[in-house]
Amino acid sequence: MKRIFLDPGHGGSDPGAVGHGLKEKDVVLDIALQIRSILEKGYENVKIKMSRTTDSSKSLRQRTNEANAWGAHYYISIHCNAFNGKANGYEDFIYSGLNDASQSAKYRNFMHREIANGIALNNRGKKKANFHVLRETRMPAFLSENGFIDNHSDATLMKQATWRKKIAQGHANGIAKALQLKKKTNVNQKGDSLYKVIAGSFQSKKKAIDRVSFLKELGIDAFIETITLSGVKWYRVQSGAFSNRKNAEDQLKRIEKKGIDAFILH
Ligand SMILES: [Zn+2]
C-alpha cells in the first residue's frame, strides 16, 4: 500500500497568490481533488490523504506533521506562482539540501516529465528551495508551481477546466511512475470500474479452453484471463465487461440459463 499525501497550498483565510479574478487556493484545490480521484479510480493499493479538501486554513507545520505522523511515502504540494505579471511558466522544487541522487530528485524527474509536457506553459525547469514543506517532511517531497496567476496568458489557461485536468493528470502520472503504482485492470478509459462477467475459473487450462468453446457453441463470446491468487495460477473465463451493472446482469442471466455457474466481478 502506497500512502500519498496531497497538499493543495494555502486555503481559508490565506488565498495565496491572486490575479485575473483567480485565487491560488481555489485553483490548487481543484487540481489536488482531481489528482486524488484519478489515482483512486485508476490504481491499486493506493491511499490518499489531503491537507485539506475544502477551503479551510491550515498551518504549514500542521501539514507536514500530519504527513509525517501518517507515514506518507510521497508528499506533493501544489501551488501557483505570482511575480510581476510578466513572469510565466511551470517549475517544480525539491528541498535545497538534497543532491540529485536523492529519492526526492529521482521521483521529481518522473513528475517533471509528466507534468511539464503538453501543458502549454513555458518550462522554467527543475529547482531546489528551502521551503518548509520540503524541509520538514520525512519522506520524499515535491512542490509544483503551476503557472503564474498574475500573468495574463497563464491565468487564461488556469481558468480552463481542461487545462486544470491536464495538470492533475500529469501529477497523477508522475506519482504512478515514481511509486510504480499498478494500474487497475478493470477500469475503462473514463476511469470507471467495469462489471466483468466470469463464466468459470479453473486451475486447469484445458478446462478453461473447453468452457470457452462450449460458450462459443452457444453463441456467447468469451476469453481466458490468467490471474495469480495467493501464488496459485487460475484460468478465468471472462464473457463481457460492462460499465453498466444492468447489462452485466443480463449477460449473467444468459449464461446461467445454459446451466453454467457465473458471477459478476466488480
Ligand atoms: Zn503558493
Side-chain angles (χ1 to χ4, degrees), residues 2 4-6 35 39 43 46 48 74 76 78 107 110-111 114-115 142 168-181:
K2 296 289 183 192
I4 297 144
F5 194 90
L6 298 178
I35 298 171
L39 290 173
Y43 294 91
V46 54
I48 316 282
Y74 201 11
I76 310 285
I78 302 132
Y107 283 2
F110 290 109
M111 300 298 292
E114 294 295 329
I115 302 166
F142 169 88
Q169 188 69 56
H171 281 75
N173 292 349
I175 292 165
K177 291 213 164 130
L179 298 179
Q180 295 181 297
L181 301 181

Side-chain angles (χ1 to χ4, degrees), residues 5-17 23-33 35 50-60 63 75-81 131 133 142-146 149 171:
F5 194 90
L6 298 178
D7 173 30
H10 314 278
S13 56
D14 169 18
K23 290 176 185 148
E24 179 186 356
K25 64 174 182 177
D26 300 325
V27 176
V28 298
L29 178 60
D30 179 59
I31 293 168
L33 287 170
I35 298 171
M50 293 179 64
S51 58
R52 62 185 184 95
T53 54
T54 58
D55 181 18
S56 53
S57 302
K58 189 168 266 188
S59 72
L60 294 176
R63 293 173 200 241
Y75 187 101
I76 310 285
S77 196
I78 302 132
H79 290 256
C80 298
N81 233 324
F131 295 147
V133 295
F142 169 88
L143 185 145
S144 60
E145 291 280 5
N146 302 279
I149 209 164
H171 281 75

